[in-house]
Amino acid sequence: MYLKINGADIAAMPASIQVTILDLDDAESTTRTADGTLHRDRVAVKRQIELTFNTLRMDQISPLLRQMSDIFFDFTYPDPMVGSYITKKVYVGDRPGNIPFEKDNVLYWSGFKMTLTER
C-alpha cells in the first residue's frame, strides 16, 4: 500500500486508515414530512479519512506535519468505493497527539491521529 501527499510518499506510514464515505445533503431542502418520510436533496458525496499512527519519533512527525501545512493538499489513498487508488483534494483537521516521552535523548509521540476531509 502507498499513500501520497502532493505526489510525494507520506513521511510516516499510519498504523490504521479509516475511510468514511459521507453524503452531504442540502440543509434547507432535505426535510421530513409529518408522516416521517425523509425527502433528501443530496448535493455531494465526500470522503473523510482518519489516520492513526503508532509511536513516532520527533524526526518522523515533523516532516509529516509539514507535508500537511497547506490549507488544501492532494492525498492519494486506496478508496473502497472506487476500488482503486485515487487522489482527492483534502484539508486536515485537528492533529492530537499524547504528550511526548523521551528515551535515550530521543523524543517520541504516541497516539497521534488526524482526520483528512475532502474539500
Side-chain angles (χ1 to χ4, degrees):
M1 177 175 62
Y2 67 87
L3 302 174
K4 293 188 179 290
I5 297 173
N6 290 329
D9 289 341
I10 193 167
M13 189 58 77
S16 68
I17 302 169
Q18 178 180 332
V19 178
T20 302
I21 300 167
L22 304 170
D23 283 345
L24 299 182
D25 294 344
D26 182 293
E28 292 181 21
S29 60
T30 298
T31 59
R32 269 195 200 277
T33 55
D35 68 355
T37 301
L38 177 67
H39 300 275
R40 288 184 73 191
D41 184 11
R42 182 170 64 185
V43 295
V45 177
K46 300 289 184 173
R47 303 298 192 278
Q48 196 167 60
I49 304 148
E50 185 172 304
L51 307 176
T52 304
F53 296 85
N54 287 331
T55 302
L56 296 172
R57 296 183 317 269
M58 185 68 86
D59 66 342
Q60 293 172 306
I61 201 167
S62 179
L64 176 65
L65 292 174
R66 286 195 308 269
Q67 278 187 308
M68 299 179 184
S69 63
D70 291 339
I71 295 171
F72 297 103
F73 53 91
D74 290 334
F75 185 67
T76 303
Y77 68 99
D79 187 88
M81 188 171 186
V82 174
S84 65
Y85 283 87
I86 62 172
T87 300
K88 296 283 188 178
K89 183 76 69 182
V90 299
Y91 64 91
V92 63
D94 295 340
R95 301 172 272 303
N98 292 327
I99 295 174
F101 63 91
E102 188 172 353
K103 181 179 177 187
D104 299 326
N105 294 322
V106 177
L107 282 175
Y108 293 86
W109 290 83
S110 64
F112 196 78
K113 60 184 172 181
M114 61 189 65
T115 301
L116 309 179
T117 304
E118 185 179 356
R119 183 176 189 179

